[in-house]
Amino acid sequence: KRQLLLPTRLLSLVELVTTAEQMVAQDPSARSSASSERPTAEASLPLSTLLLDAQALADHMSGGAALPPRLLHAVVLTMEGQLPVGEGGRRVRPLPSRQAERVARELGGWSTEADEAVAAWLDERAAAVGATPLGLRAGRLSLTEHDSFKYPALAEVPPSALRLRAALLVLFNDRVARCLPLLDLVHAREPWSTGAKMRALAGCVFAETKERLLRTSVELTRVSGVRRPEVSLNNAAAFEAMQKGAKFASARDALRSTSLFAQLFRALRGTAPRQLRLALDDRGRLFGVEYGGEEGLDWGGLYRDALERAAEDLCSQHLDLLVPCPNARSGAERAHRDKFMPNPRHTSPLARDMFKFVGQLIGIAIRTRNFLPLNLAPLVWRGLVGHAPSAADAEEVDGALARHLGALERRAELFEAWAAQRAAELARAGGAKGG
């Protein structure tokens, strides 16, 4: 079976055309704009321009690709406040060649880390003045002394270059805010896909944009008309599990535990996922909770108590589904000594179901805004959102392993250098004999 190989740029364009056609087929009004939340004056932006702009800006930010002349001018106009963000009815002419060269030079050489710092800075400045980041006038912004200390990656950037980059981030976020609903961010594994590029640039997307997308996703996936789950928990058994787990290693086994987390897992294990996407009832509950042998009605307090105690069980010393990261166990490292990671010894089908339930608890917390004390290591959170692990991630949780791997890598480099030098010496010796 032959595989058709196409240039990545062509594959990206095919993806964008297919995405646009599917969107228009589902909703003809999307031909002009992908979001109904934008002002009417901005609805003239063609869907094709929206998607192509988002892709061109993402290519520039992730790989340093040159921006089209039209987008260079759009960045300048956005910085000067002459072009309302999202307006598509106005023709943007290219900049004069010398100005275009200067703008391209000042927009070049930025790293993703620096762009993330700009996005965080704009988020903070917008919050300070009660505005949205998209509403900021980039041409009037400047770093304060506090900003320079908090964002050292920006401290040495010339003010004109920083303002241009801030305008580019505003333009990028305007396009992204309206094309995100069109992109598959879950299965975007091919590096050439726009979804994969957007995921790699997640730190450059304003918090407001992410929260709006999250709220929309929750609303669209909320269900009604299904039975609300009811669970019965045993406080005495939960406290006994805590006491025994603190003393005996065998009592920490998550598969046999009677901790509140384990009880909640068993009570909800057979629950259909749709039932966990219900709206909260008038008591602020997703499911009802009662404690066996105890009096009282659940007016929301028992429900929230059960969720919080289940999360506390996970990040504790009396349950071993999660374990402290190696830095905590070694005692010699300072970074993330209070963080937890999945226990690699738990690989059975039952343990995998428990890990799945941890994910469901996180989903419940996000959907219902019940914030849980899950003290997971950064490496775990990055894995959950599909980020590939790096050496820096490993060092955050296991400094000793990172140093060991670094030493092995340096030895490998020395060996390669020695082997190359030895091969060159032998080649010279052979040539001398032949002569």
Side-chain angles (χ1 to χ4, degrees), residues 193-416:
S193 71
T194 306
K197 294 172 186 174
M198 294 300 173
R199 285 179 58 169
L201 294 171
C204 303
V205 179
F206 296 147
E208 175 199 32
T209 303
K210 296 174 183 176
E211 288 182 11
R212 186 167 68 231
L213 180 65
L214 181 60
R215 288 196 303 269
T216 302
S217 301
V218 170
E219 290 295 330
L220 292 176
T221 55
R222 185 170 288 153
V223 301
S224 60
V226 298
R227 183 180 61 83
R228 191 173 299 277
E230 298 283 340
V231 302
S232 179
L233 305 173
N234 189 317
N235 249 331
F239 284 121
E240 183 181 3
M242 290 177 62
Q243 293 172 349
K244 289 185 176 180
K247 295 180 180 179
F248 309 108
S250 59
R252 300 169 195 155
D253 186 357
L255 306 187
R256 294 180 291 179
S257 175
T258 59
S259 64
L260 205 71
F261 167 80
Q263 292 184 49
L264 195 59
F265 161 72
R266 296 185 185 102
L268 293 174
R269 188 182 184 189
T271 303
R274 295 183 74 248
Q275 292 176 273
L276 301 180
R277 299 204 303 270
L278 283 164
L280 297 180
D281 63 11
D282 56 358
R283 302 178 186 179
R285 308 174 308 165
L286 181 63
F287 50 83
V289 174
E290 68 169 6
Y291 287 99
E294 299 181 17
E295 297 182 358
L297 296 175
D298 182 13
W299 287 92
L302 298 183
Y303 162 76
R304 289 186 290 274
D305 176 71
L307 285 179
E308 185 169 337
R309 288 172 58 190
E312 289 172 350
D313 281 343
L314 286 168
C315 298
S316 71
Q317 302 297 329
H318 60 263
L319 190 71
D320 70 351
L321 189 67
L322 304 180
V323 293
C325 68
N327 280 354
R329 297 197 297 271
S330 70
E333 307 294 333
R334 293 185 178 181
H336 303 296
R337 293 178 60 178
D338 58 338
K339 306 299 183 184
F340 284 74
M341 301 179 64
N343 189 339
R345 296 182 179 179
H346 280 306
T347 59
S348 68
L350 179 59
R352 288 198 294 270
D353 284 348
M354 282 189 159
F355 284 124
K356 178 181 177 181
F357 183 64
V358 174
Q360 289 178 318
L361 285 181
I362 294 173
I364 290 171
I366 293 172
R367 295 179 66 87
T368 63
R369 294 182 176 271
N370 278 291
F371 302 108
L372 302 179
L374 278 175
N375 212 7
L376 302 181
L379 178 64
V380 178
W381 291 117
R382 291 178 187 137
L384 288 175
V385 296
H387 288 189
S390 65
D393 293 333
E395 187 173 6
E396 286 182 335
V397 296
D398 194 340
L401 176 62
R403 287 193 296 274
H404 179 66
L405 292 177
L408 290 178
E409 186 176 2
R410 288 190 294 273
R411 289 182 182 179
E413 291 173 353
L414 289 173
F415 177 78
E416 289 176 359

Side-chain angles (χ1 to χ4, degrees), residues 26 51 140 191 224 274 424 432:
Q26 294 172 6
L51 290 166
R140 296 177 178 176
S224 60
R274 295 183 74 248

